[in-house]
């Protein structure tokens, strides 16, 4: 894990290969009827795995601009491949695939500023800890979503719960090396989740 989060030589060739493998794998998994509404197909619908992939890329870059461009290219290649695989098999037609891809194209564009900002999560200071905490907050939100899904339809999506919360723990422990920074990261997650909970409560979207 220590090598994965900061000691890989994430060259352009490896980034492109990573994009191709994840894109084809995701497209193939979406073709298996037995995996419908399970954690295995969540990778083709939700963002948690892709966020983890993006973090692996950025922490192995040497600058914010490199992280930004490599994240963008990774998504620009991998996401269309997900739908091209499904089109090639006849599972989706072009118009359906385009409709789904519009959502992921927005995420692809967001990787340009997102990758640059996320690069600072590897800095061993308070700023790095906060940036990592903000990114991990997305995983925490997804984790809560999956917990509710499991409660309503056990055991579907239980693996995704593990991916989200294990991702938070692993990324915090292996990216931030100092205990005080790890505390800041976890504290940031808690604050974000509390603020989100209050916002949803005030807007009447949840009942606590």
């Amino acid at each position: 894990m220590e090598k994965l989060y900061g000691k890989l030589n994430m060259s352009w060739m490896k980034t492109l290969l990573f994009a191709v493998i994840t894109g084809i794998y995701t497209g193939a998994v979406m073709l298996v009827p037995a995996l419908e509404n399970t954690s295995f197909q969540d990778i083709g619908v939700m963002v948690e795995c892709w966020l983890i992939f993006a973090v692996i890329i950025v922490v192995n870059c040497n600058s914010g601009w490199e992280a930004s461009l490599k994240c963008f290219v990774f998504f620009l290649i991998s996401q269309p491949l997900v739908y091209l695989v499904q089109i090639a098999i006849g599972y989706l037609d072009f118009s359906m695939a385009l409709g789904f891809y519009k959502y992921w194209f927005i995420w692809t564009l967001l990787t340009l500023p997102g990758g640059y900002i996320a690069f600072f999560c590897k800095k061993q200071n308070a700023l790095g800890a906060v940036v990592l905490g903000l990114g991990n907050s997305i995983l925490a939100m997804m984790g809560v979503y999956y917990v509710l899904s499991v409660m309503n339809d056990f055991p579907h999506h239980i693996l995704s719960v593990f991916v989200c919360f294990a991702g938070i723990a692993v990324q915090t422990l292996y990216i931030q090396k100092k205990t005080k920074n790890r505390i800041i990261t976890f504290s940031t997650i808690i604050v974000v989740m509390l603020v989100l909970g209050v916002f949803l409560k005030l807007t009447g979207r949840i009942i606590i």
Side-chain angles (χ1 to χ4, degrees), residues 149-168:
S149 296
V150 171
M151 291 172 63
N152 292 325
D153 190 19
F154 184 85
H156 290 175
H157 307 290
I158 194 168
L159 181 59
S160 294
V161 173
F162 173 79
V163 168
C164 290
F165 291 111
I168 292 172

Side-chain angles (χ1 to χ4, degrees), residues 56-123:
I56 291 172
I57 292 172
V58 301
V59 297
N60 287 291
C61 290
N62 296 314
S63 71
W65 289 113
E66 181 187 357
S68 174
L69 291 174
K70 284 184 176 177
C71 272
F72 176 71
V73 171
F74 172 78
F75 275 77
L76 191 64
I77 293 174
S78 60
Q79 286 304 321
L81 275 176
V82 172
Y83 299 106
L84 287 175
V85 169
Q86 296 177 73
I87 291 172
I89 302 299
Y91 185 77
L92 294 177
D93 59 35
F94 183 78
S95 61
M96 291 176 63
L98 185 61
F100 290 130
Y101 180 63
K102 288 179 181 178
Y103 165 79
W104 287 102
F105 183 66
I106 294 173
W107 278 98
T108 300
L109 293 178
L110 289 174
T111 60
L112 283 168
Y116 187 91
I117 295 170
F119 173 76
F120 291 94
C121 76
K122 65 188 290 185
K123 301 296 183 182

Side-chain angles (χ1 to χ4, degrees), residues 122-147:
K122 65 188 290 185
K123 301 296 183 182
Q124 301 302 307
N125 53 31
L127 174 61
V130 170
V131 171
L132 180 59
L134 293 174
N136 279 347
S137 294
I138 301 177
L139 287 179
M141 295 175 201
M142 297 305 303
V144 171
Y145 168 80
Y146 284 125
V147 167

Side-chain angles (χ1 to χ4, degrees), residues 129 172 178-190:
T172 301
K178 300 178 181 178
T179 300
K180 65 177 182 179
N181 289 343
R182 292 169 178 169
I183 293 174
I184 293 173
T185 294
F186 284 121
S187 298
T188 301
I189 297 171
I190 293 171

Side-chain angles (χ1 to χ4, degrees), residues 1-71:
M1 284 295 179
E2 187 173 357
K3 182 174 182 179
L4 187 65
Y5 285 99
K7 294 186 178 181
L8 284 179
N9 176 21
M10 186 57 70
S11 64
W12 274 105
M13 183 59 68
K14 289 180 180 178
T15 302
L16 295 176
L17 184 61
F18 190 21
V20 171
I21 292 174
T22 53
I24 293 176
Y25 168 79
T26 303
V29 166
M30 300 303 292
L31 298 172
V32 183
L35 298 179
E36 187 175 353
N37 194 34
T38 69
S39 296
F40 295 99
Q41 286 195 354
D42 286 339
I43 189 174
V45 182
M46 308 303 276
V47 302
E48 65 281 349
C49 287
W50 299 97
L51 178 63
I52 293 172
F53 296 156
V55 170
I56 291 172
I57 292 172
V58 301
V59 297
N60 287 291
C61 290
N62 296 314
S63 71
W65 289 113
E66 181 187 357
S68 174
L69 291 174
K70 284 184 176 177
C71 272

